[in-house]
Amino acid sequence: MRTIKKAQERRNEILDAAEELFNQKGFDGTSTNDILEKVGIARGTLYYHFKSKEDIMDALIDRMTDTILEAAKEIGANKSIPVNERMIRVVMALNISGGNGKEIMEHIHKPQNALMHQKIQKIILNNVPSILADIIREGIEQGLFNTLYPYECMEMIVAYTNTVFDDDMVHLTDEERTSRIVALVFNVERLLGVENGSLMYMMRMFANGNENSE
């Protein structure tokens, strides 16, 4: 007797299979037949959940975005982690350019997917500053930072990094990128009212390739 799976379970099964295939063969190199064969379902079942291969990729992007935002929120709320370390971990949690996210990022950065790229940038700009601002407020209470505008400061920083460090928006040489990172840390120190050089630990975020978080 054929097993009838719940809709959400079947949907996730399709997404898991597609993600694995996209990472193995690339998006363009994967056919819907490949996905059907891997999941072991009929074409009609696939189209019940997704209209096309592009629709599957869009769902994968949404799922990954939800996952990394939840991870960032969980880290941000973990008060057992020191404020400075928590800031770094939140930003690192947003990195989806490596590992299984590589094929997804390549897909997002294709010219024809500009709207999806814009959607992810919008999600980051509307969610990440508040996560970081809560951490900054704790830092203020602990005497680490001194600013009247924790949210606005984080919004400025996220907007800057989400734009300038996006290769689709601004093309930088390695030297220019390094200069931008140093300048960013320098100005973040002023925004947060701390001594010159006291936030150099933030360079870790960029040394690990996390400048491109969207």
Side-chain angles (χ1 to χ4, degrees), residues 3-110:
T3 301
I4 301 175
K5 296 193 175 182
K6 293 181 180 178
Q8 189 60 45
E9 184 181 352
R10 177 65 82 189
R11 178 183 170 86
N12 284 329
E13 190 176 36
I14 294 170
L15 289 176
D16 290 341
E19 183 174 16
E20 184 177 341
L21 287 168
F22 290 162
N23 287 318
Q24 289 175 352
K25 305 172 67 172
F27 177 77
D28 294 330
T30 300
S31 68
T32 52
N33 283 334
D34 292 331
I35 299 171
L36 292 174
E37 184 177 336
K38 187 167 185 64
V39 183
I41 57 175
R43 188 171 296 274
T45 303
L46 177 67
Y47 289 141
Y48 172 80
H49 295 281
F50 302 102
K51 297 176 183 177
S52 63
K53 189 173 69 168
E54 287 73 17
D55 194 24
I56 294 174
M57 176 59 90
D58 288 350
L60 279 173
I61 293 169
D62 286 341
R63 187 172 74 167
M64 180 171 281
T65 303
D66 289 343
T67 299
I68 63 174
L69 278 178
E70 283 305 311
K73 289 176 182 177
E74 185 176 338
I75 294 168
N78 189 347
K79 296 191 177 184
S80 68
I81 304 173
V83 165
N84 290 347
E85 181 66 23
R86 218 182 316 162
M87 288 177 64
I88 293 175
R89 291 194 191 183
V90 165
V91 175
M92 288 183 172
L94 299 171
N95 182 37
I96 59 174
S97 60
N100 290 337
K102 185 177 180 181
E103 180 63 26
I104 290 177
M105 288 305 298
E106 289 179 359
H107 182 77
I108 291 168
H109 285 285
K110 290 179 180 178

